[in-house]
Amino acid sequence: MNIVELIEEAGLTGRGGAAFSTARKVRLAQDHRARLIVNACDGEIGAAKDAWIVRHQLRELIDGAMLFATSTTPIFAAHRDSETARLLIAAGLDVLQVPHRYVSSEESALVNLLHGNPARPVTKRYPIAAGGQTAQEKPLEPTLVLNAETVWLAGRIVASGVGWFRSFGTADEPGPRLVTVSAVGRPPVVLPTAAGEPITSLLARAGMDRDYLALNIGGLGGGFVAAKDVSSMTWSGRDLTPHGLFLGPGVIRVLPADTCPWVEISALVRYAAGESAGQCGPCIFGLPAISEDLDALVGGTGGSDVLDRLSGRVGLLPGRGACRFPDGVGRFVASALQVFGAELRAHQSIGCQFSAVTGPIHTATAPLRRSA
């Protein structure tokens, strides 16, 4: 049984966000003799599991990458001057050093960068594993981009078998997986888990299970779950989907009970407006406009007309850009409006009622604490 058949039988899906069938992606790449990029950028807000794998499981990651290499050696993508990049370079690997921009670690942005172009997403008329072209219609050779956790797990399937892999998780979402749990003022914790574990158990294992207002699941491309809804939820698509969420990149961010969610949300959207690809209308005009509306509402200078305008603008984002970045931010803000609508209205009428109004934006550069 070859590697594609093994991972297909195992049911391995991408761990970088989209959860697409890895076997289908690899089969297409093999048909086009695509080269391989292992994405170890931890590109989502709060993500840290790629760095954990490089730090603690580098040999297994390399072994997994060699399973997918064709006629060229695999390339490992990491943020420029990060500890992850330094460890990969020290191991003698071919490293693509990526700018510290949110959109720069998107798969087509990595392929664009590999060809000497800016690290910005390109319009994909078909999967990038089959090839593509830049905005200037220059060809991009077929390139398979796989998340580091996906590659690591593929190697473990070969070493331990399909039965081992399927002994974790659920029938619909099989296999072990990693999740990063973080909170304002707390370093991220990377935990081994599987679909079906209660979210309260994950929080307890991370030491972040007390006095929280809500959870941000999926980072800037995800959304929110109020604390009152968490007790009955498991870490699974079945329980997250009704909230418009998904397992995605494996990120849980805890919003403490005394922290204003809208100050944090507006800071993240302001960050998103500055980190966009800057190539299409939704990024160039839509994201800054939404950020301005949020700043006005949080600052108490925006009334109900601004709130109505914000809701309308959020609904215009999905499906209108060359990449999916505005879609994710739109989903993030729409979820915030649903979960924290009362808090935003309070900002308009009586001001912020929280004792702590701000916190740092978490990135993968924060120090990691290894799970027990």
Side-chain angles (χ1 to χ4, degrees), residues 198-228:
I199 292 180
T200 52
S201 170
L202 284 170
L203 298 177
R205 289 202 285 134
M208 302 183 194
D209 56 335
R210 295 184 180 180
D211 298 326
Y212 59 92
L213 178 70
L215 304 180
N216 167 216
I217 293 177
L220 192 52
F224 298 89
V225 177
K228 64 181 178 59

Side-chain angles (χ1 to χ4, degrees), residues 35-44 48-55 58 61-62 65 73-89 92-115 119 143-149 151 364:
R35 65 194 307 181
L36 172 67
I37 296 177
V38 179
N39 187 351
C41 288
D42 280 320
E44 187 51 76
K49 59 191 179 69
D50 296 343
W52 185 92
I53 291 169
V54 169
R55 182 181 294 174
L58 182 55
L61 176 63
I62 296 170
T73 57
I75 298 164
F76 293 78
H79 281 129
R80 186 179 298 143
D81 300 324
S82 64
E83 181 190 11
T84 299
R86 289 192 291 271
L87 290 171
L88 293 169
I89 292 168
L93 301 170
D94 190 355
V95 179
L96 179 67
Q97 297 209 49
V98 181
H100 287 266
R101 300 297 303 274
Y102 185 91
V103 298
S104 294
S105 60
E106 189 269 344
E107 65 170 357
S108 68
L110 294 178
V111 176
N112 213 15
L113 180 64
L114 184 63
H115 285 74
T143 309
L144 172 64
V145 181
L146 294 176
N147 173 259
E149 185 184 358
V151 172

Side-chain angles (χ1 to χ4, degrees), residues 327-346:
D327 299 51
V329 178
R331 183 169 53 245
F332 176 84
V333 178
S335 177
L337 288 170
Q338 182 176 5
V339 175
F340 304 120
E343 287 81 359
L344 190 56
R345 287 188 291 274

Side-chain angles (χ1 to χ4, degrees), residues 356-372:
V357 296
T358 189
I361 295 175
H362 305 296
T363 68
T365 58
L368 289 179
R369 175 160 67 86
R370 188 175 183 179
S371 61

Side-chain angles (χ1 to χ4, degrees), residues 4-19:
V4 176
E5 293 169 335
L6 271 175
I7 60 177
E8 186 170 46
E9 184 177 341
L12 176 64
T13 56
R15 298 300 200 249

Side-chain angles (χ1 to χ4, degrees), residues 19-35:
F20 189 75
S21 165
T22 304
R24 289 176 61 188
K25 194 172 182 179
V26 172
R27 186 176 286 114
L28 177 65
Q30 289 183 345
D31 290 343
H32 289 82
R33 296 193 60 77
R35 65 194 307 181

